[in-house]
Amino acid sequence: MYKRQDESRRQKLVVVEQKKSRRNSVSEEIGRLKKAGQNTEDLVLEMRALSQEIKEHDEEIRAIEEELNNTLLAIPNLPHESIPVGPDDSCNREERQWGTPRNFPFPPKPHWELGEQLDILDFERAGKVTGTRFAFYKGLGARLERALINFMLDIHTNEHGYLELIPPFMVNSQSMTGTGQLPKFAEDMFHLENTDYYLIPTAEVPVTNFYREEILAEERLPIYHVAYSPCFRAEAGAHGRDTRGLIRQHQFNKVELVKFCPPANSYEELEKLTANAETILQRLELPYRVVCLSSGDLGFSAAKTYDLEVWLPSFGTYREISSCSNFEDFQARRANIRFRPAGGGKPEFVHTLNGSGLALGRTTAAILENYQEEDGSITIPQALRPYMGGIERIAPPKEASS
RNA sequence: GGAGAGAUGGCCGAGUAGGUUGAAGGCGAUCGCCUGCUAAGCGAUUAUACGGGCUAAUACCUGUAUCGAGGGUUCGAAUCCCUCUCUCUCCGCCA
């Protein structure tokens, strides 16, 4: 199908290019003849007809290319051979576990109850001010979220070698197409009326598109970027799922890791990127496991994905907190991001990777739940205390304030 | 938001009465020469993409396209017309 279209396009291209070649040379000839004062009427007439033909050919080719392009944009990426094959998440493969879920001598509360009792989260007023699936962070809750953002950014920039970017939080449709959100997933995003702008669902979009339409010198690779951004997701089709708490919001914060590298090392880079994200959970001493998504659970654009799942006591399960993927050249083709091989030669597509390092809302939820005490207070993880001005504990307010 | 100016090759910068301009000149870069070394000097080369041919080939030959983007006029457009985008200056506004 694709092959046939492509061949027909190429054939037509040859024909039209021959005609253009003739037009160019004859036009030049006409110029010369006119200068010499000779009659050129016949040639002009002939060229008029030829130009018309060329116009028709160009139109045909354009139509074929558009059709071809549409076909291409709707095709998902090919899964990597190392991932488990299966129809859905039941076939995902657990790679490893880290830490041991704490044994609570009391029934652990869900984070939204803790947050409301501590007066650091306010879902009700967010519902009034905006709507469902939004939250206010308040007092030490806001402080905790802010501390986590800085904590993550510092580790990734200082220890893991990522260069920080603060991206635009809106992007145009071309960028959304480049990373694979468009055209297929338009309903998952917030589109700004009367514009070509979308609120970003993840910093992956602006950061990956940073190098769109560029040819990078191979010496510059690999490129590592880390970016904090809020993320906006319409969560279409998620009615009734995770309706309470911070797990599934229309807006949440995230620190995102993005890599660009030559094809040869992209799987090595995926392991490193995943390990970088894991570091955050380890420093926060949050139990988690790493899962390799099966072919059926894999996203549209990814070739291989590791999910990091953090332990949430009130759920009694692990929940996704980071998703680390290798897109191979899928995004690079769409966004036309290439590199020139060190030895010279034709530009090749880079491989792109990204992963959350980490999603903030879920991290906050995990800290509240895993570090809760019987009286409803929260112990701040050791590693985070410098970012909290030395605060060790978030205690319930003496009197209910509002 | 109002008024004006502009967008040319890695960079700077020519080129508007449409016709060897893929594009002068300069800088930079590369190669060679020269020179005890360095500097200077001299010579040559110096865009990219996509096709076709020939191939071991990213080499070579050849075609097409590209002077912000898209469309139009014309036998022929960097040069004329329209639309859009972006940049700059002034005013207004604003964090």
Side-chain angles (χ1 to χ4, degrees), chain A residues 148-384:
Chain A
L148 281 167
I149 293 169
N150 283 326
F151 172 71
M152 293 178 191
L153 286 172
D154 282 353
I155 290 177
H156 293 312
T157 54
N158 296 334
E159 299 180 27
H160 298 152
Y162 290 78
L163 182 65
E164 183 172 356
L165 291 176
I166 297 180
F169 300 153
M170 307 173 198
V171 298
N172 56 35
S173 56
Q174 226 186 322
S175 293
M176 284 296 192
T177 307
T179 31
Q181 281 75 19
L182 286 179
K184 216 177 162 191
F185 304 102
E187 64 287 350
D188 291 338
M189 293 177 303
F190 288 105
H191 181 218
L192 301 184
E193 210 173 350
N194 300 324
T195 70
D196 185 40
Y197 297 161
Y198 293 80
L199 294 177
I200 57 172
T202 158
E204 159 195 349
V205 178
V207 175
T208 304
N209 279 283
F210 189 78
Y211 297 105
R212 173 147 53 82
E213 311 288 342
E214 291 191 27
I215 299 175
L216 308 162
E218 183 168 15
E219 294 73 37
R220 288 182 62 191
L221 302 178
I223 293 171
Y224 292 2
H225 284 305
V226 59
Y228 155 75
S229 87
C231 304
F232 304 92
R233 297 189 182 177
E235 296 297 341
H239 298 298
R241 297 186 60 197
D242 304 313
T243 49
R244 311 196 61 183
L246 296 173
I247 301 301
R248 192 177 297 275
Q249 297 267 295
H250 284 313
Q251 176 193 319
F252 62 96
N253 294 309
K254 185 152 61 71
V255 169
E256 182 78 0
L257 306 172
V258 178
K259 288 186 174 185
F260 304 82
C261 72
N265 347 352
S266 67
Y267 280 93
E268 196 180 308
E269 294 288 353
L270 176 63
E271 297 302 322
K272 276 158 64 180
L273 184 136
T274 308
N276 294 153
E278 286 179 63
T279 298
I280 305 296
L281 288 165
Q282 290 171 9
R283 298 281 176 87
L284 294 173
E285 298 175 75
L286 291 168
Y288 69 90
R289 63 173 188 172
V290 181
V291 167
C292 181
L293 298 192
S294 75
S295 54
D297 202 22
L298 203 62
F300 180 76
S301 307
K304 181 171 185 174
T305 298
Y306 290 121
D307 272 4
L308 268 48
E309 298 181 342
V310 69
W311 178 256
L312 285 181
S314 83
F315 291 72
T317 60
Y318 290 96
R319 290 300 302 261
E320 177 187 341
I321 196 167
S322 170
S323 198
C324 303
S325 304
N326 184 358
F327 300 91
E328 297 192 355
D329 65 6
F330 183 85
Q331 294 180 327
R333 283 177 187 279
R334 295 175 153 241
N336 199 20
I337 306 169
R338 292 171 294 175
F339 73 97
R340 193 173 301 287
K346 283 206 166 195
E348 295 175 36
F349 290 111
V350 300
H351 278 193
T352 61
L353 302 91
N354 68 56
S356 344
L358 310 161
L360 268 301
R362 292 183 181 183
T363 305
T364 297
I367 288 175
L368 296 184
E369 294 202 5
N370 282 282
Y371 282 90
Q372 63 179 297
E373 302 303 336
E374 190 155 17
D375 64 357
S377 67
I378 309 295
T379 306
I380 302 296
Q382 285 284 354
L384 211 54

Side-chain angles (χ1 to χ4, degrees), chain A residues 116-164:
Chain A
E116 280 170 347
Q117 282 163 18
L118 291 168
D119 200 23
I120 58 172
L121 292 177
D122 193 332
F123 296 98
E124 212 170 305
R125 286 197 174 96
K128 172 182 71 181
V129 171
T130 305
T132 182
R133 293 195 195 277
F134 286 89
F136 273 99
Y137 289 69
K138 187 177 172 190
L140 288 177
R143 179 74 186 262
L144 177 62
E145 182 95 352
R146 181 157 57 89
L148 281 167
I149 293 169
N150 283 326
F151 172 71
M152 293 178 191
L153 286 172
D154 282 353
I155 290 177
H156 293 312
T157 54
N158 296 334
E159 299 180 27
H160 298 152
Y162 290 78
L163 182 65
E164 183 172 356

